Amino acid sequence: SQRDPMLKRDGFEDILEERRNSSDLKYALRCYAPVLYKGVTPCKANMLKNIVLQSDQLHYVINQVSQESGEAPDIIQEEASVILEEMAHRLQISTVRFFAFALSKAFKTLFQHVCVNEEGIQRLQQAIQEHPVVLLPSHRSYMDFLLMSYILYTYDLALPVIAAGMDFMGMKFVGEMLRMSGAFFIRRSFGGDKLYWAVFSEYVKTMLRNGFAPIEFFLEGTRSRTCKSLTPKLGLLNIVIEPFFKGEVFDVNLVPVSISYERILEESLYARELLGVPKPKESTSGLLKARRILSEDYGSIHVYFGQPVSVRSLAQGKVNRSKYNLFPRHIPRKPMEETQSFVNDTAYRIVRLQEDNMVLKPWVLMASLLLQNLEGLELSVLTEQTLWLRGLALSYAAFLDWPDHAPTAKVVSSSLALHRGLACVSGGRVSLVVGEPLGPVTPEEAVFNRAVSVLSCASYRNQVLHVFLRPAMLAVAMHTAASSKKNEVYNCFSFLWDVFSNDFILCPGDTVQDFEEACYLLVKTGAVQMPQQDIEMTDRGQPILSFFNGLLEPFLQGYQMLLPTLRSEHSVFCVFTGNLRCYEVLSSDMQKNALAALLRMDAVRKVKSHFAVGMFVLTVNTLFFNFRADHVTLIVNKMAVNSIDDILGKCRMISHINQTQISPSFSLIAVAEDLYRDGLTQSYIR
């Protein structure tokens, strides 16, 4: 649906303002008496475990596993108890109070403001009393789940129980403190462990059915290291929606929460991870070493609690719940096709709501412009173009936080000061900062340092992509199509929509709707006109369409640079000779998404193999294969790959890359790790 730029959004309150003017100790020790769902009594951790262990569903699975394994049911029951002990939270108000005190101190040092929409808090307070609530925050930082609990404590709301990865549990002292503040720990993947899945799902559903506390998890499954929204994971969402389908609860309220950081604590860490530097293992010593960030200024945070989404209302006319009456409730069953489709649509809907309520700062506009001008921009030109882009973003209903009545020059200089680690002004010219080497560097090390700078900056540009994505795809489609006929432009748009479905949140089945929205927005801003069945650029449309083409250029170029890999007959090939301009192709995220797109578009297919196969890895200058055995081979459909390559070539504004030699040095192994983690585990290219 086309978005109205005058769409009313709630105002914000800075919750740190009171903290700066009153005692943190008094705040932490204050009376805390949140209202719960239908007045239920808070459930102690041991009581919750007993309810889970005595449930009919878990007993059914225990008997099933016993029959399959030959182990006695009592032994399986004991295994279930051990799993639950490892997993379960042990919420203690004393630990919550300690975190309230410590986080107040930390937040006042790190951030200028922590702004929350109070109307959203009031809606949440009402929702918690009426139906079980599931909090679904965006995930861009480790800080997210601490911030959520801090805000709910501040507003005297029931603290959530939070799904956390096992890696946090390994942190001495900190892991147990997180558990005592509401975290429950789950494995990153369950494989075919039927018992673990049964314990986990019953634990979550027991909390949800009884409304003991809001449940919180990240729909994207992991932190987004690119600051783009990630394709939602459906496992936990299936679990929390199932009690509604089975008639165990009247409704479930899903609450999208958008957390926007003006400056991300992990910005350079993320860039290095995307370039293959292994992620530091979560540890208490690592946390203590990170204290140096307390001397930095990270600007403001905006947290927007969206309108609760009623699962009952969403499912009306889409899911026939009567089918669930045909089977006993305690027998676990795979979701029916219509149910899975509904859950998938709901997940995408929630992520889109998260995106729409992301608060964007001026720096995201400036980063978008700087990345299209890697050689730098005159400060006066950057200021002028930022003001122009602000108008365009607002006309597309961007949720932009721009200082009232402040001159644009002051806004720009303030943003540059906050992000001085990424961009600097020298001789009146603004350019990206590249880390200063300690000594002589090799050409490949220079590329690495430059890539860190570009990918760090790209993480901010990515925050505004959801605003411009659809009109940008239409701009590229118009550039690509052989004519101005609407149907031919739509065909190009549809191709791009399909290619980029892993890189951006594009709701399945919404291609036509997204195309119409793109047309509406470009017509509205005077960039195109649509006489009869044509789409034509207007006289004033050139700068807008040019900017949009440039916005998608790194993705088009990155995908196209990866395609020759698939056509090569050798295990080491495709040397990037050149003053590499497309640094984003070095991102493991882009590589992973490109490969996933090719799998989905049948340009490659999986075949089980017991022979050595080549693993897809990208270096600064070389795409090559490592060889492993007993994995799945990807068979390349070279005709399809050539066809995709040809169309991407037509989409591209830049037809060639200047070439000079860069010698090999380091490999970006993160792509292999991400493929392994994200379900393409055994997808390797022959």
Side-chain angles (χ1 to χ4, degrees):
S1 59
Q2 288 102 22
R3 287 169 292 180
D4 183 352
M6 302 307 291
L7 181 70
K8 181 186 178 296
R9 291 190 178 96
D10 305 341
F12 286 93
E13 177 195 38
D14 177 13
I15 62 173
L16 289 188
E17 188 175 343
E18 186 182 348
R19 297 275 52 73
R20 296 188 196 281
N21 299 309
S22 59
S23 164
D24 291 326
L25 185 60
K26 188 176 178 181
Y27 161 76
L29 296 177
R30 70 190 175 84
C31 175
Y32 172 66
V35 178
L36 298 177
Y37 169 58
K38 294 185 177 175
V40 298
T41 305
C43 180
K44 294 192 182 299
N46 286 336
M47 181 181 165
L48 178 61
K49 290 178 198 170
N50 288 335
I51 295 171
V52 174
L53 291 172
Q54 292 167 16
S55 71
D56 290 339
Q57 177 167 323
L58 187 55
H59 281 176
Y60 178 87
V61 173
I62 285 170
N63 290 329
Q64 206 176 35
V65 172
S66 173
Q67 290 172 10
E68 291 171 2
S69 66
E71 296 269 12
D74 287 352
I75 294 174
I76 308 297
Q77 176 84 21
E78 186 58 34
E79 284 181 33
S81 183
V82 170
I83 291 169
L84 190 56
E85 192 64 33
E86 176 191 68
M87 179 186 299
H89 76 84
R90 289 196 297 273
L91 187 63
Q92 292 184 10
I93 189 61
S94 57
T95 306
V96 170
R97 293 188 188 282
F98 170 79
F99 269 119
F101 177 79
L103 290 175
S104 279
K105 297 291 186 191
F107 288 165
K108 286 189 293 184
T109 303
L110 287 168
F111 304 109
Q112 297 170 15
H113 310 282
V114 173
C115 302
V116 180
N117 64 323
E118 280 204 304
E119 288 181 44
I121 291 291
Q122 290 164 10
R123 291 191 295 260
L124 176 59
Q125 188 173 37
Q126 186 67 33
I128 286 173
Q129 296 176 58
E130 294 174 349
H131 304 293
V133 161
V134 179
L135 294 166
L136 299 168
S138 56
H139 199 15
R140 303 289 181 272
S141 171
Y142 274 135
M143 193 67 72
D144 294 331
F145 64 92
L146 294 171
L147 186 62
M148 287 288 292
S149 294
Y150 180 81
I151 291 169
L152 295 189
Y153 178 81
T154 299
Y155 285 102
D156 210 30
L157 291 172
L159 290 178
V161 288
I162 308 157
M166 279 291 189
D167 30 12
F168 289 103
M169 197 175 76
M171 298 173 70
K172 284 183 181 178
F173 307 116
V174 175
E176 278 308 302
M177 289 188 69
L178 291 173
R179 190 193 294 277
M180 289 188 287
S181 61
F184 65 96
F185 297 100
I186 56 174
R187 296 174 190 167
R188 291 291 181 188
S189 62
F190 305 161
D193 194 333
K194 196 180 290 186
L195 182 64
Y196 191 93
W197 176 261
V199 172
F200 165 61
S201 61
E202 191 59 26
Y203 179 69
V204 174
K205 285 186 283 190
T206 298
M207 289 189 288
L208 184 110
R209 284 191 294 253
N210 294 283
F212 293 138
I215 293 168
E216 179 186 321
F217 63 91
F218 300 108
L219 202 46
E220 298 164 284
T222 186
R223 287 174 299 154
S224 170
R225 285 153 179 79
T226 60
C227 288
K228 290 191 281 103
S229 295
L230 305 179
T231 303
K233 305 291 189 294
L234 305 182
L236 253 169
L237 192 62
N238 262 312
I239 289 172
V240 297
I241 287 179
E242 187 183 295
F244 165 73
F245 288 142
K246 290 186 172 180
E248 296 169 322
V249 295
F250 181 79
D251 199 359
V252 176
N253 276 323
L254 307 176
V255 181
V257 184
S258 306
I259 306 177
S260 311
Y261 294 89
E262 185 170 10
R263 184 180 166 206
I264 303 155
L265 275 76
E266 303 98 327
E267 67 183 20
S268 64
L269 179 70
Y270 285 168
R272 286 173 165 79
E273 282 184 43
L274 291 170
L275 291 168
V277 177
K279 183 183 85 165
K281 191 175 185 295
E282 285 80 5
S283 66
T284 306
S285 61
L287 182 65
L288 293 173
K289 287 175 188 173
R291 283 178 302 171
R292 65 179 181 275
I293 68 171
L294 292 172
S295 62
E296 294 279 330
D297 179 4
Y298 288 88
S300 301
I301 303 176
H302 285 77
V303 183
Y304 192 98
F305 288 81
Q307 188 80 34
V309 175
S310 160
V311 172
R312 187 179 189 88
S313 297
L314 280 185
Q316 194 74 37
K318 294 178 184 173
V319 178
N320 181 6
R321 291 199 298 158
S322 64
K323 292 179 182 178
Y324 284 86
N325 296 328
L326 302 176
F327 309 98
R329 284 177 178 170
H330 69 275
I331 298 178
R333 299 182 61 82
K334 284 186 177 179
M336 291 176 275
E337 191 174 328
E338 69 168 359
T339 303
Q340 196 60 37
S341 176
F342 169 77
V343 171
N344 192 50
D345 290 347
T346 301
Y348 274 89
R349 178 189 177 108
I350 295 293
V351 178
R352 283 296 306 276
L353 289 170
Q354 288 176 350
E355 287 184 332
D356 284 347
N357 290 323
M358 285 288 185
V359 175
L360 307 176
K361 287 286 190 172
W363 173 247
V364 305
L365 306 179
M366 294 163 62
S368 302
L369 294 165
L370 287 170
L371 285 171
Q372 292 192 33
N373 298 273
L374 290 178
E375 69 286 352
L377 278 172
E378 292 295 323
L379 179 58
S380 59
V381 174
L382 177 62
T383 302
E384 181 185 325
Q385 291 189 0
T386 301
L387 183 62
W388 170 79
L389 194 52
R390 170 185 181 261
L392 188 63
L394 288 174
S395 69
Y396 287 177
F399 199 171
L400 195 59
D401 181 45
W402 190 279
D404 289 335
H405 313 301
T408 307
K410 186 176 180 181
V411 173
V412 168
S413 63
S414 175
S415 294
L416 287 169
L418 185 68
H419 297 279
R420 60 188 176 277
L422 291 182
C424 66
V425 184
S426 178
R429 194 170 183 82
V430 183
S431 56
L432 296 187
V433 170
V434 179
E436 288 294 323
L438 297 176
V441 294
T442 60
E444 60 274 5
E445 288 170 335
V447 170
F448 177 86
N449 292 335
R450 185 67 164 158
V452 168
S453 175
V454 169
L455 290 180
S456 296
C457 194
S459 69
Y460 291 96
R461 176 212 59 204
N462 290 344
Q463 295 177 36
V464 78
L465 283 176
H466 68 275
V467 175
F468 295 135
L469 175 62
R470 287 152 187 81
M473 287 198 299
L474 179 54
V476 174
M478 290 173 62
H479 170 83
T480 308
S483 79
S484 60
K485 294 296 181 188
K486 187 175 180 180
N487 63 326
E488 293 189 29
V489 174
Y490 171 77
N491 289 338
C492 293
F493 180 93
S494 180
F495 168 80
L496 291 167
W497 194 99
D498 199 13
V499 166
F500 290 137
S501 288
N502 290 87
D503 250 310
F504 307 111
I505 298 301
L506 296 165
C507 303
D510 276 6
T511 314
V512 173
Q513 183 177 324
D514 286 345
F515 178 72
E516 293 299 334
E517 179 180 336
C519 291
Y520 166 80
L521 291 173
L522 285 181
V523 168
K524 176 184 172 185
T525 44
V528 302
Q529 57 188 9
M530 298 176 62
Q532 299 175 342
Q533 290 301 305
D534 286 352
I535 303 178
E536 299 170 354
M537 182 176 73
T538 63
D539 292 339
R540 57 178 289 197
Q542 198 279 328
I544 295 175
L545 297 187
S546 178
F547 169 76
F548 284 154
N549 274 280
L551 199 64
L552 288 187
E553 172 65 16
F555 299 93
L556 294 165
Q557 189 180 138
Y559 275 47
Q560 194 180 23
M561 288 177 77
L562 294 172
L563 289 174
T565 310
L566 302 175
R567 295 197 295 262
S568 175
E569 301 293 340
H570 307 98
S571 60
V572 179
F573 48 86
C574 192
V575 175
F576 289 161
T577 59
N579 291 320
L580 184 64
R581 288 187 59 85
C582 186
Y583 293 94
E584 291 181 62
V585 75
L586 301 176
S587 163
S588 60
D589 182 76
M590 181 176 286
Q591 298 164 31
K592 179 187 64 175
N593 289 335
L595 184 54
L598 294 170
L599 281 164
R600 194 183 62 254
M601 298 171 77
D602 296 324
V604 291
R605 61 188 175 88
K606 299 179 186 179
V607 176
K608 288 206 171 185
S609 169
H610 297 291
F611 302 103
V613 296
M615 185 172 70
F616 179 64
V617 180
L618 178 61
T619 67
V620 167
N621 63 315
T622 307
L623 287 163
F624 66 92
F625 294 124
N626 289 339
F627 287 91
R628 291 186 180 182
D630 297 323
H631 282 296
V632 172
T633 305
L634 293 186
I635 303 298
V636 178
N637 178 343
K638 291 192 176 181
M639 187 176 294
V641 169
N642 287 337
S643 175
I644 293 169
D645 194 10
D646 287 345
I647 300 174
L648 286 177
K650 292 175 184 174
C651 292
R652 295 263 321 278
M653 293 178 69
I654 302 170
S655 59
H656 66 277
I657 303 171
N658 294 327
Q659 302 201 340
T660 60
Q661 182 71 33
I662 299 175
S663 59
S665 174
F666 62 93
S667 66
L668 304 184
I669 58 172
V671 65
E673 293 172 354
D674 282 350
L675 289 170
Y676 192 91
R677 199 166 45 240
D678 292 352
L680 294 174
T681 308
Q682 298 176 351
S683 301
Y684 299 100
I685 302 173
R686 183 165 68 186

